[in-house]
Amino acid sequence: MEECIFCKIIKGEIPSEKIYEDDMVLSFKDIEPAAPVHVLIIPKKHIGSINDLTEDDSKIIAHIYLVAKQIAAKLGIDEKGYRIVTNCGEEAGQTVHHVHFHLLGGRSFAWPPG
Ligand code: 5GP
Ligand code: ZN
């Protein structure tokens, strides 16, 4: 996926403020934070959106939640609470077509989301 901005971040072609990395996932600070803590967690495998997930991706997705939990603890938002959001498609506001999980915390969030 040559033109994918998140694949370029994974390859180091675009700089990012890394929070966590292993063989399956990368996490880095969102460039336009919507909360005091706003990091993205992405699979290293290019997957366009939740709509493109297959059974083969189950391990990656489960792993992302475990990584999110660890990052939340590391950044000190695990006790007060946080939100994990994945936008899928136009009406949800997905702007980058490489599946990603927003980990947001450090303030209160409204429900339902806008
Ligand atoms: P979406 O709107 O697709 O759910 O989320 C995409 C997110 O990626 C946005 O919150 C946006 O700020 C973030 N983003 C877009 N381009 C870059 C970039 O080059 N670097 C970083 N760190 N975040 C980015
Ligand atoms: Zn990609």
Side-chain angles (χ1 to χ4, degrees), residues 5-6 9 14-17 28-34 38 40 42 85-89 92-102 104:
I5 196 172
F6 285 176
I9 286 176
I14 294 175
S16 68
E17 286 190 67
F28 51 94
K29 289 188 183 176
D30 195 291
I31 205 166
E32 266 184 69
H38 187 175
L40 301 172
I42 68 173
V85 176
T86 298
N87 297 317
C88 179
Q94 183 179 5
T95 57
V96 177
H97 298 282
H98 179 130
V99 78
H100 50 280
F101 293 71
H102 298 259
L104 299 143

Side-chain angles (χ1 to χ4, degrees), residues 9-75:
I9 286 176
I10 291 163
K11 286 188 270 181
E13 292 170 11
I14 294 175
S16 68
E17 286 190 67
K18 274 184 204 171
I19 298 289
Y20 175 86
E21 182 170 16
D22 63 28
D23 57 336
M24 266 195 271
V25 306
L26 177 68
S27 175
F28 51 94
K29 289 188 183 176
D30 195 291
I31 205 166
E32 266 184 69
V37 173
H38 187 175
V39 307
L40 301 172
I41 307 166
I42 68 173
K44 287 191 168 174
K45 175 186 175 186
H46 179 90
I47 302 167
S49 81
I50 294 287
N51 284 342
D52 300 310
L53 288 176
T54 69
E55 272 307 313
D56 291 347
D57 303 318
S58 303
K59 198 175 166 194
I60 297 173
I61 300 305
H63 183 61
I64 282 174
Y65 276 92
L66 292 171
V67 166
K69 175 187 121 164
Q70 286 165 23
I71 293 172
K74 184 170 130 183
L75 300 182

